[in-house]
């Protein structure tokens, strides 16, 4: 009976977590509909903080962030966010469509066509076919226009000639990549940006420049190698948009840390007028190296609850919440129960401080 009650309490807390994420996503959708794209980016990022790695919900949120970026003509950023969506859910059609749109607006028609073909395999609808035909027509028109610009007019400056040569080089590179892709069965892809981590331990900060595809355990080894005097266990933590330190225990957590860094940089740029993140690069991630008695083990990204969002969602659409199913350790149930009893929704409403909302939020974070 007690175990059943604990499991019911856990399911209620998880459902609350999902509701918060859905509410933030709906807030982002409304802001998107009002063309308040920077504010929508922040709302989607906050929703990402409450979702599980590898779910369609994360893919939908990253895809929505991609839409915000290409509405602001930040096409490289849109391509990056759509790529994150496909990391979370490789068969997420909406991300292929969003990235294809960003590639198209960035005049990279070959990759736009490749993404639309992938979307068409997932969902062979007439709408996707029309989009594919439209992009192919635009690519053919651009190719014809480029052919007409091959001969430079008399009096062309050296700079214009260099620009034409660079454009020809880019087209040649694209053709070469396409040939390599056809031979190897893979799609051409742009060189990935590097990951910059500013790691701080006891007042000392070290900057690590790592490949974006690095594994979590290799990040831990790199941090340890840069602080050789420390032989104690440690945890890596980043500060989320609400000012809380969050432990990084997987690549999914690292993506959340990176998204928080991007959101913070965007807010700073909007508030101060300072330059934003250069296209094709990532915001540096600040990590605190916190000494602990026992290092956190890596969180497997494949052990996840069911998605709480429907595939193919666009910012203007609402989604139904799907109940999560996840096994939780007994001590977490006890911990959550104590929070709810003393600070959460089961606590007395009277008191000098309004702790109910705070306790309820912390209880969800604990789970």
């Amino acid at each position: 009976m007690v175990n059943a009650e604990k499991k019911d309490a856990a399911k209620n807390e998880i459902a609350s977590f999902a509701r918060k994420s859905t509410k933030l996503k709906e807030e982002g959708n409304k802001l998107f509909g009002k063309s308040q794209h920077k504010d929508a980016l922040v709302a989607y990022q906050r929703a990402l903080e409450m979702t599980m790695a590898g779910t369609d919900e994360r893919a939908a949120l990253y895809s929505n962030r991609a839409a915000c970026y290409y509405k602001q003509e930040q096409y490289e950023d849109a391509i990056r966010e759509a790529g994150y969506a496909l990391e979370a859910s490789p068969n997420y059609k909406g991300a292929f469509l969003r990235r294809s749109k960003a590639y198209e607006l960035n005049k990279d028609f070959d990759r736009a066509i490749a993404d639309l073909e992938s979307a068409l395999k997932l969902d062979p609808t007439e709408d996707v076919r029309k989009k594919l035909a439209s992009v192919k027509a635009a690519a053919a028109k651009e190719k014809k226009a480029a052919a007409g610009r091959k001969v430079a007019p008399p009096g062309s400056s050296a700079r214009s000639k260099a620009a034409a040569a660079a454009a020809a080089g880019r087209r040649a590179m694209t053709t070469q990549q396409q040939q390599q892709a056809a031979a190897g069965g893979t799609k051409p892809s742009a060189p990935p940006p590097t990951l910059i981590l500013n790691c701080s331990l006891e007042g000392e900060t070290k900057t690590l420049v790592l490949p974006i595809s690095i594994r979590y355990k290799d990040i831990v080894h790199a941090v340890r190698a840069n602080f050789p005097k420390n032989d104690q266990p440690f945890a890596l933590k980043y500060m989320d948009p609400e000012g809380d330190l969050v432990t990084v225990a997987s690549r999914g957590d690292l993506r959340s840390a990176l998204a928080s860094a991007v959101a913070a940089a965007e807010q700073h740029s909007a508030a101060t007028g300072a330059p934003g993140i250069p296209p094709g690069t990532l915001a540096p991630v600040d990590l605190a190296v916190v000494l602990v008695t026992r290092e956190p083990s890596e969180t497997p990204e494949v052990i996840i609850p069911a998605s709480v969002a429907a595939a193919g969602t666009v910012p203007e659409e609402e989604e139904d919440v799907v109940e999560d199913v996840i096994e939780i350790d007994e001590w977490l149930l006890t911990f959550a129960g104590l929070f709810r009893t003393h600070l959460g929704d089961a606590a007395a409403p009277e008191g000098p401080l309004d702790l109910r909302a705070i306790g309820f939020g912390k209880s969800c974070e604990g789970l």
Side-chain angles (χ1 to χ4, degrees):
M1 180 66 180
V2 174
N3 288 337
E5 291 178 354
K6 289 181 178 179
K7 288 183 178 180
D8 288 341
K11 289 177 71 174
N12 290 338
E13 300 293 353
I14 294 170
S16 172
F17 220 34
R19 285 195 298 271
K20 284 187 176 182
S21 175
T22 302
K23 184 178 180 181
L24 286 167
K25 182 178 180 182
E26 290 173 351
E27 178 184 333
N29 293 348
K30 291 177 182 177
L31 292 167
F32 184 94
K34 296 176 182 177
S35 296
Q36 298 177 13
H37 301 123
K38 290 185 177 180
D39 292 334
L41 279 168
V42 175
Y44 290 139
Q45 168 56 28
R46 290 181 64 195
L48 275 168
E49 298 293 335
M50 299 185 183
T51 60
M52 303 297 263
T55 61
D56 280 354
E57 182 188 17
R58 286 187 75 81
L61 290 166
Y62 278 127
S63 183
N64 289 357
R65 282 176 59 84
C68 291
Y69 277 122
Y70 75 60
K71 286 291 186 180
Q72 299 176 86
E73 300 183 358
Q74 295 175 244
Y75 305 130
E76 294 292 340
D77 292 325
I79 291 166
R80 181 195 66 225
E81 294 293 319
Y84 290 157
L86 290 170
E87 282 186 28
S89 181
N91 292 326
Y92 191 77
K93 186 193 77 170
F96 281 116
L97 294 176
R98 292 273 160 76
R99 193 168 68 175
S100 171
K101 185 66 175 178
Y103 277 139
E104 179 188 357
L105 294 172
N106 208 29
K107 303 299 182 182
D108 193 343
F109 294 106
D110 291 325
R111 292 188 177 93
I113 290 170
D115 275 353
L116 280 173
E117 288 174 343
S118 296
L120 189 63
K121 289 179 182 178
L122 295 170
D123 185 19
T125 60
E126 188 62 27
D127 183 54
V128 178
R129 287 193 181 91
K130 287 181 179 179
K131 288 179 181 178
L132 180 57
S134 174
V135 174
K136 285 183 175 180
K141 184 178 180 181
E142 177 67 17
K143 186 176 180 180
K144 184 177 180 180
R149 294 193 297 265
K150 279 186 177 179
V151 180
S156 297
S157 65
R159 184 175 179 180
S160 64
K161 290 180 180 179
R170 285 195 298 270
R171 288 193 294 273
M173 179 65 71
T174 301
T175 303
Q176 182 181 6
Q177 289 174 341
Q178 287 287 351
Q179 291 172 348
Q180 292 174 349
T186 58
K187 296 177 186 177
S189 59
T194 55
L195 176 66
I196 301 175
L197 303 179
N198 296 323
C199 303
S200 301
L201 172 62
E202 298 178 342
E204 183 181 9
T205 300
K206 298 288 185 71
T207 298
L208 281 63
V209 180
L210 305 168
I212 192 64
S213 59
I214 190 170
R215 298 175 299 177
Y216 167 76
K217 66 178 182 179
D218 293 330
I219 294 175
V220 174
H221 292 159
V223 173
R224 191 180 300 282
N226 276 269
F227 293 97
K229 295 182 180 179
N230 174 59
D231 57 357
Q232 299 182 45
F234 63 83
L236 301 176
K237 295 179 179 286
Y238 72 94
M239 186 170 292
D240 69 8
E242 296 181 352
D244 296 324
L245 283 176
V246 181
T247 300
V248 176
S250 69
R251 276 184 56 79
D253 295 334
L254 184 63
R255 286 193 291 270
S256 295
L258 183 58
S260 292
V262 171
E266 289 166 353
Q267 288 180 319
H268 177 73
S269 176
T272 64
I277 305 169
T281 63
L282 301 176
V285 178
D286 295 331
L287 293 179
V289 183
V290 181
L291 300 181
V292 294
T293 56
R294 181 181 177 183
E295 287 190 0
S297 57
E298 183 174 0
T299 304
E301 294 194 54
V302 296
I303 303 177
I304 54 175
S307 167
V308 295
T313 305
V314 296
E316 292 80 8
E317 295 178 355
E318 296 183 355
E319 299 177 353
D320 296 328
V321 176
V322 180
E323 184 181 24
D324 292 325
V325 179
I326 185 170
E327 294 294 330
I328 300 179
D329 293 337
E330 286 295 320
W331 72 268
L332 277 176
L333 297 176
T334 304
F335 180 78
L338 286 171
F339 253 114
R340 294 181 69 248
T341 301
H342 295 285
L343 296 175
D345 61 342
E350 301 82 19
L353 295 174
D354 183 11
L355 296 177
R356 298 182 69 212
I358 298 173
F360 190 70
K362 294 297 182 183
S363 177
C364 289
E365 290 174 12
L367 284 173

